[in-house]
Amino acid sequence: MKIVIAPDSFKESLSAVSVAACIEKGFREIFPDADYVTLPLADGGEGTVDVLLQGLAGQKRTHQVEGPLGALVNAEWAMLEPSDRNPNKTALIEIAAASGLDLLTPEQRDPLIASSFGTGQLIVEAIEQGAQTIILGLGGSATNDGGAGIVQALGVKLLDSAEQELGRGGAALAELASIDLTGLDSRYADVELIVACDVDNPLCGDKGASHVFGPQKGATPEQVLMLDKALANFAQVAETQGCVDGGESVQKRMGYGAAGGSPMGLGLLFNMQIKPGIEMVLDVLQADDVLKGADLVITGEGQMDNQTLQGKTPYGIAKRASLQGIPTIGIAGSLGTEVEALYGEMSSLFGTVRSPQTLEKVLQEAELNLTRTARNIAATLRLGHKISQK
């Protein structure tokens, strides 16, 4: 029996590699002789660089940059050397490494002032090191600044009506009156930017960056409205000045709500391609080949809910497995709202939290609870097989 274990990380507790190891440990108690293949995954958020380095030859690097609130952090990224498979010198960057929510305590979260400036510094460093292509993962940001910090780090001047440069953060965009692109490095025009995006939300509106993701970054209901209007102003100024290509309104473009609206700013500077993060990762890791001959796929993430359907790891791998007729079981730290829709691609879903607990306790027991849940699932599968044989 071949079992493919292909989970994402459990945020704030276990990496994707650790999650896969826990699931395998639990299953091995019941099915010790099965053929296990672990395929840790990511969808553009935290851990994407590590996951991609499983399938691509590259080297990790560290660069000191500004974190979301300005304190210096050591952010990891990676450079891939050219190869037959990948002809360009390619940088792998996560916005979470420099501008991530996990870099702040819950009390520090403040999307009014949090900035993506440090991610811009990483992009500059990658280009200085010769990157011709940049793959940028947009999951896990602490920001709601529309990528304003990124473009400020790359030399763009965001000016108010008095032609003074704006401060950092999403709230400042309400005062934006003009965008000065004259200070840009000419090399940026030649860089290919691939944005790995794990959601398809638009920039603004009820399903936009501020309304959907602002609260988890610390925004109050009043601040959500303020930030949404500020992003809309950023988009309007950019469109009025002709800084973005024509066609559909920037405020409504799918995927532009990712990472606090970061594609908005990135689109000012680069010939940008937005790709579903999980699809890109699955292709790079040749997941379809890994799945061949499997009898079961087990996937998971920290919480499965209605957002899982919007390009998250479990849904992405389950769809690939379904195309090959392979059943999938999902394991999550917790099951949220509207998970019933996932049953179209997954046979069953399981939560690991054993009883009402504080978040601190849940995170402490994540490894134990996950291993126990995996073991119980395997035991149930074996019991079902025995019953069917009677």
Side-chain angles (χ1 to χ4, degrees):
M1 178 170 60
K2 178 180 177 180
I3 300 174
V4 175
I5 302 173
D8 203 332
S9 63
F10 280 28
K11 284 187 178 180
E12 300 182 52
S13 57
L14 298 172
S15 68
V17 172
S18 297
V19 172
C22 288
I23 294 172
E24 181 177 350
K25 180 180 178 181
F27 259 70
R28 278 193 181 278
E29 287 188 32
I30 308 301
F31 297 114
D33 298 324
D35 176 18
Y36 294 94
V37 179
T38 58
L39 186 70
L41 296 174
D43 52 23
E46 306 94 318
T48 298
V49 168
D50 287 334
V51 163
L52 287 176
L53 286 176
Q54 295 176 106
L56 299 171
Q59 183 179 38
K60 268 192 174 182
R61 304 185 182 188
T62 302
H63 187 55
Q64 191 173 70
V65 299
E66 290 188 19
L69 297 182
L72 295 179
V73 298
N74 292 317
E76 289 187 336
W77 61 289
M79 185 72 88
L80 309 177
E81 294 300 326
S83 65
D84 292 340
R85 185 175 168 189
N86 181 46
N88 286 349
K89 194 170 185 180
T90 300
L92 306 178
I93 299 174
E94 298 172 15
I95 196 169
S99 312
L101 198 61
D102 287 350
L103 297 174
L104 305 176
T105 65
E107 295 74 24
Q108 291 175 316
R109 295 173 183 178
D110 188 349
L112 297 183
I113 60 174
S115 171
S116 56
F117 191 87
T119 299
Q121 291 177 303
L122 283 183
I123 291 173
V124 171
E125 174 67 9
I127 293 172
E128 291 289 341
Q129 296 298 322
Q132 300 162 294
T133 297
I134 296 174
I135 297 175
L136 176 62
L138 289 188
S141 79
T143 61
N144 203 105
D145 70 347
I150 294 174
V151 300
Q152 287 172 319
L154 271 67
V156 174
K157 293 182 179 179
L158 303 178
L159 306 173
D160 62 19
S161 58
E163 297 192 352
Q164 298 298 307
E165 291 195 46
L166 299 183
R168 307 276 174 79
L173 292 171
E175 305 301 321
L176 180 67
S178 63
I179 301 170
D180 183 355
L181 301 174
T182 58
L184 289 179
D185 190 316
S186 60
R187 291 176 297 176
Y188 300 162
D190 298 323
V191 174
E192 177 187 32
L193 177 66
I194 300 172
V195 173
C197 175
D198 63 353
V199 299
D200 59 6
N201 301 73
L203 181 67
C204 299
D206 292 343
K207 296 183 179 180
S210 306
H211 282 274
V212 176
F213 306 111
Q216 70 190 45
K217 300 177 184 185
T220 65
E222 294 78 13
Q223 290 172 340
V224 164
L225 296 175
M226 182 191 309
L227 290 165
D228 189 58
K229 290 180 179 178
L231 287 179
N233 184 54
F234 189 12
Q236 183 176 9
V237 171
E239 289 179 324
T240 300
Q241 288 192 207
C243 298
V244 293
D245 57 15
E248 184 181 23
S249 168
V250 175
Q251 296 185 40
K252 298 179 180 179
R253 293 182 186 180
M254 302 295 283
Y256 268 55
S262 291
M264 171 67 234
L266 292 164
L268 300 178
L269 309 183
F270 298 99
N271 181 18
M272 177 179 62
Q273 303 174 51
I274 298 181
K275 296 185 176 182
I278 184 57
E279 298 302 325
M280 184 200 70
V281 169
L282 290 173
D283 288 341
V284 167
L285 299 180
Q286 299 180 316
D288 292 333
D289 290 338
V290 175
L291 291 172
K292 287 179 180 177
D295 298 286
L296 175 66
V297 172
I298 307 170
T299 186
E301 64 178 342
Q303 175 164 306
M304 287 190 194
D305 52 26
N306 56 342
Q307 289 188 27
T308 304
L309 292 165
Q310 300 173 11
K312 297 289 188 177
T313 292
Y315 190 57
I317 187 65
K319 286 196 300 181
R320 296 289 185 101
S322 180
L323 290 173
Q324 297 192 34
I326 307 166
T328 299
I329 291 174
I331 304 177
S334 64
L335 299 176
T337 60
E338 301 177 32
V339 295
E340 293 78 12
L342 289 170
Y343 290 127
E345 300 294 347
M346 298 189 196
S347 302
S348 54
L349 301 172
F350 297 85
T352 66
V353 178
R354 59 182 174 82
S355 63
Q357 294 175 301
T358 64
L359 177 60
E360 181 180 10
K361 192 69 172 177
V362 168
L363 297 179
Q364 287 176 351
E365 295 187 355
E367 186 172 340
L368 176 63
N369 288 339
L370 178 57
T371 303
R372 181 192 299 115
T373 301
R375 183 262 175 212
N376 290 340
I377 293 169
T380 302
L381 290 174
R382 187 174 67 177
L383 176 61
H385 177 71
K386 287 181 177 179
I387 292 174
S388 69
Q389 298 302 308
K390 289 185 176 180

